Each structure stands twice: as structure tokens, then as C-alpha cells.
Amino acid sequence: MESTRNKLIELLAANQDYYISGQVLSEKLNISRNAIWKHMKELKKDGYIVEAKSKKGYQITGFPDKISENTIQWGLNTKWAGKTIIHKETTPSTQIVAHQAANEGAEHGTIIIADEQTKGKGRMEREWHSAKNKGIWLSLILRPAILPYLAPQLTLLTATVLADVIYKHTKTAPLIKWPNDIMLNHKKTTGILTEMQAEQDQIQYIVIGIGMNVNQQTNELPEDLQAIATSLHIETNKSWSIQTLIQDILQTFEDSYDAFIETGFSEVKRKWEHYGFKMGEYISIKTLREKWGGIFSGIAEDGALIIKTSDGKTKKLYSGEIEWFGEGENDVKQIRSETNERKQ
């Protein structure tokens, strides 16, 4: 159910160029004028500049640059994504909070956002450096009516959403490095962590964690990461509104998710392969038993990499250590030559 605060924000946003009287707000929200006044005080705490004039009412004339439930809700036009927001100034990990909220019944589309994480994590329990007010540290709770084996498709979908948003705002050239990294200039700027609670044939919930480096300068990244990590600010020499980026991520995600549920994976696959890092190029792969390589030729519906080997066979890769930046030009030429011979 939509909260009174959300409805108030929608009313103020719809009348942004005008004063709206306390009486009108009271009638539309079915609360007292004193309650309206208390809500306005909370908006001021978030940094909004609220003008109140006798016989005219209230008008928002200034907006904060920090994130909060109110600032994300302001101007957010989604149907379900981000309609419930849990904001933490600091937390060990938004993933932890999201799992707790999901187990307590948090609705589909609930998001957890934090100014900073003290123990942010990526895949394989790796640490994710999450500096205060420098990036997007967000987890999204989903309750999709899909079978558990299709859950990896939502990681791939999320990656396309983030790549779309980064390109839209920065006009840089983001690439998706399988399975969950967004790269700019061969450096990681964004990571995705998908975790699921499910039974054999039913998903109870999925939590998708997003960590995006936005406004860090190079010297603000840990020294051991400066050669492999970057931020939107580093790549564009410009600061970005974290609030605006979050809103666009939520809107774009909702549109893409709804289309995916209605029409399936084909559009996600097409878009992912458009952004795919090293698509059509040779990559080396090391698993527990062997080391091999081939041309990265796409992704399968179950999220696996599709690799074309030198003997013309196609293999699926679900896990393994990939040498993304290794040498393999001779193998590339051999595979392409054999492919061309078969075509002739």
C-alpha cells in the first residue's frame, strides 16, 4: 500500500510550480493539517526547501543532493520498483538487510539503499569497497513467478539495464564482462550480486545487489584496485547525481523486467550480446580439470557462456577462471579459418 509520505510527495511534485494549501493536502490524504506540518518538517530534514505561506499553502522550491527515501520517491514514476524504500546511512551490507526484509514479507520491488557499506560484498565473498556518498549501494527484492533455474537470466537482465543507464547518462561505452561486471575502458565500475531463496520448483524471493562506483576520484579508490577499477567520474571528469541514476535504474529495470516476464529472454539475450565484453574474441578458460579456450560467441538461456573451440564444437561454460586479457590470436585465426572453410 502506498504510504502517506509517498502520496504527499506525488501531490507536491504535481503542483511544483504552485502553492498547494494545507486544507487541500489534508483532504486528499485524509490526515490532519498538523500531520501535514509534521511531514513537511521531515522533508526539510532531508534537505528540501519548503516555503509555507499563510492563505497559500506549501511549495517545494529547493531539492537536496543526498539520497533518502523521500529524495528517491520524488519524481519516481514506477509502478512497483522502489515503491517501498529502506534507507540506511551506513550498514554492513544492503544484501543482509534485504534478506532480513524479504524474510519478513517485504513486497516485490522493495529496495534497500545505503550511503555506505562497511562490509559490502561481491561474488565469491569478495569485498566491495563502498565509500560514503560516492556510489550506488543498492539491493532490490524480487518475487518473480518463474522457475528457479531461470534466475540467472535476471542477473543478465540487470547487467543490460545498468549498461543502458550508464550509456544514456555518460555517453561512454560500457561493456558487460560475464557474468556480472560492467566495464569502462577495461576497468570495473559496477558489480552485480544475485542471491536466491527457493524451493525445488518455486522462488520465494531473489535479492539483486548493485554496486556502482559513481563519484570517486582515482585517489579515493583503494590503491590495490586503482589499476582494475574505475568510476563514472574518473571516466567522464564529471560528477553525477546518485539520486537521478537510482531513479533511472529503477524505471529502466521495471520496464525491462515487465517485458521479460511477458515475452521471455530473447530481447535480454540480444541486448546482453550487444554489450558483451570480448564477444567474438578468443578467451582462455581454466577449470579444475583442464585449460582450454575458444571464441566467445554468446550466452545461453541458462546464463552460460557459449564458446566455439578450434575443432568446431560449441561448449557451454557455467563456471571457471577466465583469462579475459590473455593472448590467443593464433587460435582466433584458426577457428575463424575453419569456420569459413565449413561455410564454403
Side-chain angles (χ1 to χ4, degrees):
M1 179 176 286
E2 192 173 20
S3 71
T4 299
R5 182 73 53 76
N6 293 348
K7 291 178 182 177
L8 173 60
I9 287 172
E10 289 175 2
L11 285 169
L12 291 168
N15 295 273
Q16 194 170 321
D17 297 327
Y18 309 96
Y19 285 92
I20 181 168
S21 73
Q23 184 61 37
V24 169
L25 292 172
S26 175
E27 291 172 357
K28 288 186 176 291
L29 300 175
N30 196 30
I31 59 176
S32 68
R33 295 184 67 169
N34 187 53
I36 296 291
W37 178 76
K38 289 181 179 179
H39 279 296
M40 292 299 179
K41 284 188 68 176
E42 291 301 311
L43 288 176
K44 288 181 179 180
K45 286 181 183 178
D46 271 340
Y48 290 96
I49 299 173
V50 181
E51 286 193 4
K53 287 193 175 181
S54 178
K55 299 182 180 179
K56 284 191 173 183
Y58 299 96
Q59 183 184 25
I60 299 289
T61 60
F63 301 86
D65 58 5
K66 68 176 184 177
I67 62 169
S68 70
E69 177 184 346
N70 293 330
T71 59
I72 299 302
Q73 293 278 358
W74 185 279
L76 182 65
N77 295 316
T78 54
K79 297 185 293 292
W80 53 263
K83 286 302 180 183
T84 299
I85 297 174
I86 300 170
H87 172 246
K88 301 287 186 180
E89 290 188 4
T90 184
T91 186
S93 166
T94 59
Q95 291 290 96
I96 295 172
V97 180
H99 281 288
Q100 292 171 342
N103 283 316
E104 292 169 2
E107 62 185 352
H108 176 75
T110 296
I111 69 165
I112 294 83
I113 51 175
D115 297 339
E116 71 172 340
Q117 297 179 117
T118 56
K119 295 182 180 178
K121 62 178 181 175
R123 290 179 69 247
M124 312 296 288
E125 297 299 320
R126 295 188 181 98
E127 183 181 358
W128 182 275
H129 184 70
S130 312
K132 188 170 185 178
N133 300 324
K134 292 293 183 177
I136 294 172
W137 325 124
L138 179 153
S139 293
L140 171 64
I141 297 171
L142 301 174
R143 299 188 184 274
I146 60 175
L147 293 171
Y149 79 91
L150 294 175
Q153 294 181 349
L154 291 174
T155 301
L156 302 173
L157 181 152
T158 304
T160 66
V161 166
L162 297 174
D164 276 349
V165 170
I166 289 172
Y167 173 74
K168 173 184 173 182
H169 287 267
T170 69
K171 295 301 183 286
T172 55
L175 294 172
I176 304 170
K177 183 165 73 68
W178 185 85
N180 68 334
D181 294 342
I182 310 297
M183 312 287 286
L184 288 173
N185 287 330
H186 286 199
K187 292 184 177 183
K188 181 173 178 176
T189 185
T190 303
I192 302 162
L193 176 62
T194 302
E195 298 174 319
M196 176 172 66
Q197 185 72 31
E199 299 172 359
Q200 186 172 359
D201 60 350
Q202 183 178 10
I203 293 173
Q204 295 176 5
Y205 68 82
I206 290 174
V207 175
I208 297 181
I210 297 168
M212 180 183 291
N213 294 335
V214 178
N215 287 325
Q216 295 96 331
Q217 298 186 46
T218 301
N219 61 5
E220 292 176 314
L221 295 173
E223 190 171 341
D224 60 333
L225 296 180
Q226 290 177 12
I228 59 174
T230 189
S231 71
L232 302 189
H233 184 278
I234 292 169
E235 297 303 321
T236 63
N237 197 31
K238 179 180 176 182
S239 295
W240 298 92
S241 165
I242 291 174
Q243 170 194 333
T244 300
L245 288 169
I246 290 173
Q247 289 178 325
D248 206 4
I249 287 169
L250 294 174
Q251 184 65 68
T252 307
F253 185 93
E254 180 176 280
D255 293 343
S256 298
Y257 178 94
D258 287 347
F260 162 74
I261 294 298
E262 184 175 344
T263 64
F265 184 63
S266 60
E267 177 60 16
V268 175
K269 174 180 168 67
R270 182 199 68 77
K271 187 171 285 189
W272 196 100
E273 291 176 346
H274 167 75
Y275 284 117
F277 181 65
K278 294 286 185 175
M279 276 286 296
E281 298 184 38
Y282 183 91
I283 57 174
S284 295
I285 298 138
K286 184 165 67 174
T287 61
L288 290 175
R289 297 182 179 179
E290 60 179 339
K291 184 173 182 179
W292 56 285
I295 299 294
F296 173 24
S297 58
I299 54 170
E301 289 210 352
D302 56 5
L305 283 190
I306 300 173
I307 309 294
K308 186 174 290 185
T309 60
S310 59
D311 58 5
K313 293 180 180 179
T314 297
K315 297 176 71 171
K316 282 186 176 183
L317 177 70
Y318 292 93
S319 64
E321 186 179 334
I322 301 175
E323 191 176 297
W324 291 103
F325 303 100
E327 298 295 329
E329 188 59 36
N330 292 333
D331 292 316
V332 172
K333 289 177 180 176
Q334 180 184 354
I335 293 169
R336 286 177 177 162
S337 174
E338 292 177 359
T339 300
N340 290 334
E341 286 176 7
R342 284 191 291 273
K343 287 180 179 178
Q344 293 170 4

